[in-house]
């Protein structure tokens, strides 16, 4: 069963979070965050989650998917909330799995914000950092656990976490979670969970093969879809510039200067390309951060924080940064290289134009990327505007008006006698002999 924009009228009745039946503690947290009205995905998904249904939720990036599953799960766990110091009173009841460390941190930050008035405990675990502090949090007991697959299995193998009482499973960015690269770990995790549970999948894109695979471990799921499948938000202006591969960096700098772009996220396909482009931009004096899977966790967090705080103008990244990273008011995203997977294009440009704001996505496309561009157009069912590179406006030089300077009256000059050139003594006539004798007689 699918729930769309024009179906299930009862789901559209709610215009406030209070009408969705959320507890006062959650409503106060939402008020503190400035959230007054639920988004379409939240209006449709929250009642279904509260009703206990398995769900596949699809909405464009930046429309509030995290709150769409976090808020109803907090509501359903309120009966289990307690202030006991015993870890046994705080078993893991809700497990949220994300494909990347950055997304895990962001989801957990949202959980903490929504949960601040409730005594429910939460933590986040991910790779790239020491496990000891994570183990301490897990052994103390948490009701809500946000994790990446590999680190979760590490903790499960070390017996620092037990998943036998999980009631709610959430796969955020489910299309990537179900990708073949994540599937083996995901199956191992599912084997550790109770078979009787509520499972939720949320993502911006769903491939038909992924839908079929997901249904194999969801129980009679509903599908909530608030936008045309596999599309980017209409608020994002999408532009294509045809550029030779070797001229892309100059084109990037030209567009930034011509459009006066204050900040931008710049995507490459590979880690090597990200490092190379980042270093070249830094040498040109552009404040640039670099983020990809081979960077240490602290380096990635430092680069991302610097970008969010406005200290870094450009953040060069691989697709690891495209999954769920929420950067407030990001004006522009560049596809320095088009992605191999068309759905990654949707996630990339979803970093801009979030929460109802307008955005700009610029793709620098070489002749070698023609097939990738065609695949993206076919995937999003939309043509992409092609235009020449914008020209940089040259400042007009205004000639200074000529000013006639009045010269002071010159003093009269005396005529000079012509200068006699010196003559070599050898060229003078010889002295006469009689003149010399007259002088002698005198």
């Amino acid at each position: 069963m699918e729930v769309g924009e024009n179906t299930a009228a009862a789901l559209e009745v709610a215009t406030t979070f209070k009408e969705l039946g959320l507890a006062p503690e959650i409503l106060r947290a939402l008020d503190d965050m400035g959230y007054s009205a639920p988004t379409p995905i939240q209006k449709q998904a929250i009642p279904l989650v509260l009703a206990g249904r398995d769900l596949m939720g699809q909405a464009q990036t930046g429309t509030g998917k995290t709150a769409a599953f976090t808020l109803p799960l907090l509501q359903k766990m309120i009966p289990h909330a307690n202030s006991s110091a015993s870890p046994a009173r705080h078993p893991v009841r809700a497990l949220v799995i994300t494909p990347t460390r950055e997304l895990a941190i962001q989801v957990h930050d949202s959980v903490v914000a929504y949960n601040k008035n409730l005594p429910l405990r939460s933590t986040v675990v991910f790779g790239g950092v020491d496990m000891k502090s994570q183990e301490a949090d897990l052994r103390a007991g948490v009701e809500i656990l946000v994790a990446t697959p590999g680190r979760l299995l590490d903790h499960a193998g070390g017996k620092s976490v037990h998943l036998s009482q999980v009631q709610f499973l959430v796969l955020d960015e489910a299309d990537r979670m179900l990708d073949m690269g994540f599937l083996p770990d995901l199956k191992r995790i599912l084997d550790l969970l109770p078979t009787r549970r509520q499972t939720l999948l949320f993502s911006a894109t769903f491939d038909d093969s992924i839908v079929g695979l997901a249904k194999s471990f969801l129980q009679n799921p509903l599908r909530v879809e608030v936008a045309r499948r596999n599309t980017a938000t209409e608020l994002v202006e999408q532009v294509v510039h045809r550029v030779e591969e070797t001229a892309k960096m100059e084109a990037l700098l030209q567009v930034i200067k011509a459009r006066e772009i204050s900040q931008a996220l710049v995507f490459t396909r590979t880690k090597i390309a990200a490092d190379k482009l980042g270093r070249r931009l830094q040498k040109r004096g552009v404040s640039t951060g670099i983020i990809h899977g081979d960077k240490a966790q602290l380096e990635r967090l430092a680069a991302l924080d610097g970008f969010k705080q406005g200290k870094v103008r450009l953040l060069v990244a691989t697709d690891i940064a495209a999954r769920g990273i929420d950067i407030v008011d990001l004006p522009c995203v560049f596809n320095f290289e088009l992605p191999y997977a068309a759905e990654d294009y949707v996630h990339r440009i979803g970093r801009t134009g979030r929460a109802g704001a307008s955005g700009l996505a610029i793709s620098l496309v070489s002749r070698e990327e023609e097939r990738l561009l065609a695949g993206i157009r076919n995937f999003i069912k939309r043509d992409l505007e092609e235009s020449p590179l914008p020209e940089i406006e040259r400042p007009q030089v205004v000639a200074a008006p000529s000013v006639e300077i009045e010269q002071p009256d010159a003093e009269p000059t005396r005529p000079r006698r012509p200068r006699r050139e010196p003559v070599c003594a050898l060229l003078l006539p010889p002295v006469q002999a009689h003149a010399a004798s007259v002088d002698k007689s005198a």
Side-chain angles (χ1 to χ4, degrees):
M1 174 182 174
E2 293 191 15
V3 181
E5 289 180 329
N6 301 316
T7 61
L11 303 182
E12 294 293 337
V13 173
T15 58
T16 65
F17 286 109
K18 184 176 181 180
E19 292 173 352
L20 288 172
L22 299 177
E25 296 88 346
I26 300 175
L27 294 176
R28 288 202 306 272
L30 290 169
D31 286 340
D32 292 343
M33 299 172 71
Y35 298 153
S36 57
T39 64
I41 185 65
Q42 293 164 3
K43 286 194 288 186
Q44 294 192 23
I46 289 175
L48 297 176
V49 177
L50 291 174
R53 297 299 302 267
D54 281 10
L55 194 68
M56 297 174 63
Q58 181 177 4
Q60 294 165 345
T61 302
T63 55
K65 294 192 298 295
T66 302
F69 64 77
T70 301
L71 297 178
L73 292 187
L74 289 174
Q75 178 69 35
K76 297 190 75 170
M77 286 190 289
I78 287 178
H80 302 289
N82 66 87
S83 302
S84 172
S86 172
R89 297 290 305 278
H90 302 278
V92 178
R93 300 185 186 277
L95 175 63
V96 183
I97 304 177
T98 72
T100 67
R101 315 169 201 178
E102 287 78 14
L103 181 54
I105 294 170
Q106 179 182 302
V107 170
H108 183 249
D109 287 345
S110 296
V111 170
V112 171
Y114 301 139
N115 182 47
K116 70 176 186 177
N117 298 319
L118 295 169
L120 295 168
R121 299 180 182 179
S122 67
T123 193
V124 58
V125 297
F126 48 83
V129 296
D130 187 68
M131 291 179 60
K132 291 183 179 180
S133 61
Q134 296 177 356
E135 289 174 351
D137 290 339
L138 292 172
R139 293 186 188 280
V142 295
E143 284 90 355
I144 307 163
L145 175 59
V146 184
T148 54
R151 182 48 61 94
L152 177 62
L153 289 172
D154 291 340
H155 284 294
K159 306 298 182 183
S160 56
V161 64
H162 300 280
L163 305 176
S164 59
Q165 297 189 57
V166 170
Q167 298 172 307
F168 313 104
L169 171 65
V170 180
L171 301 183
D172 198 10
E173 300 299 352
D175 54 345
R176 180 56 62 91
M177 289 300 308
L178 294 179
D179 196 345
M180 294 306 296
F182 292 94
L183 191 55
D185 284 350
L186 181 57
K187 287 183 175 179
R188 291 176 59 194
I189 293 170
L190 293 175
D191 289 340
L192 301 174
L193 304 180
T195 55
R196 292 180 60 85
R197 65 175 185 272
Q198 185 176 3
T199 305
L200 313 175
L201 280 75
F202 282 82
S203 183
T205 59
F206 277 125
D207 181 82
D208 290 337
S209 61
I210 300 298
V211 171
L213 184 60
K215 287 181 178 178
S216 66
F217 60 86
L218 273 71
Q219 301 296 319
N220 190 25
L222 296 176
R223 189 160 87 195
V224 173
E225 187 174 337
V226 298
R228 182 163 54 93
R229 292 185 61 191
N230 302 334
T231 60
T233 173
E234 298 296 328
L235 295 174
V236 177
E237 178 189 357
Q238 300 174 58
V239 179
V240 171
H241 295 310
R242 298 282 185 170
V243 182
E244 291 295 329
E245 189 67 36
T246 56
K248 279 191 174 183
M249 196 186 83
E250 295 301 327
L252 171 68
L253 295 174
Q254 179 175 333
V255 174
I256 289 173
K257 187 171 184 179
R259 286 183 173 264
E260 299 181 344
I261 296 171
S262 58
Q263 265 195 320
L265 190 55
V266 184
F267 284 105
T268 63
R269 283 193 295 264
T270 67
K271 304 166 189 175
I272 294 175
D275 281 330
K276 181 179 179 181
L277 176 61
R279 288 193 298 267
R280 291 177 65 194
L281 289 168
Q282 290 168 354
K283 288 181 180 179
R284 293 288 291 269
V286 182
S287 57
T288 305
I290 306 170
I291 182 172
H292 56 66
D294 282 351
K295 291 285 185 182
Q297 183 65 19
L298 292 178
E299 291 181 292
R300 290 161 65 171
L301 292 177
L304 191 58
D305 287 344
F307 189 66
K308 289 182 176 181
Q309 295 171 16
K311 298 177 182 178
V312 174
R313 187 174 187 182
L314 299 182
L315 183 62
V316 180
T318 55
D319 288 298
I320 191 171
R323 294 286 168 157
I325 301 304
D326 190 5
I327 301 171
V328 179
D329 298 329
L330 178 64
C332 181
V333 166
F334 279 93
N335 289 298
F336 189 81
E337 296 174 325
L338 292 181
Y340 289 125
E343 57 267 26
D344 285 336
Y345 174 84
V346 175
H347 286 281
R348 284 183 178 189
I349 71 172
R351 299 307 96 215
T352 184
R354 298 176 72 85
S358 60
L360 174 64
I362 298 174
S363 298
L364 305 177
V365 182
S366 65
R367 287 177 292 181
E368 295 82 1
E369 296 174 303
E370 184 61 43
R371 292 182 62 183
L372 297 177
L373 180 61
I376 290 169
R377 283 173 165 156
N378 181 62
F379 183 76
I380 65 176
K381 303 295 189 292
R382 174 178 172 180
D383 197 13
L384 297 177
E385 173 192 352
E386 293 191 23
S387 63
L389 289 171
E391 295 293 333
I392 299 175
E393 292 187 8
R394 306 293 180 184
Q396 294 183 353
V397 180
V398 180
S402 58
V403 179
E404 187 173 341
I405 301 175
E406 185 178 352
Q407 299 291 340
D409 293 338
E411 296 182 359
T413 56
R414 292 175 295 179
R416 296 181 178 179
R417 289 178 295 181
R419 181 178 177 183
R420 297 180 62 183
E421 294 294 331
V423 180
C424 179
L426 295 176
L427 301 179
L428 294 175
V431 178
Q432 297 297 327
H434 72 275
S437 60
V438 169
D439 289 340
K440 188 175 180 181
S441 60

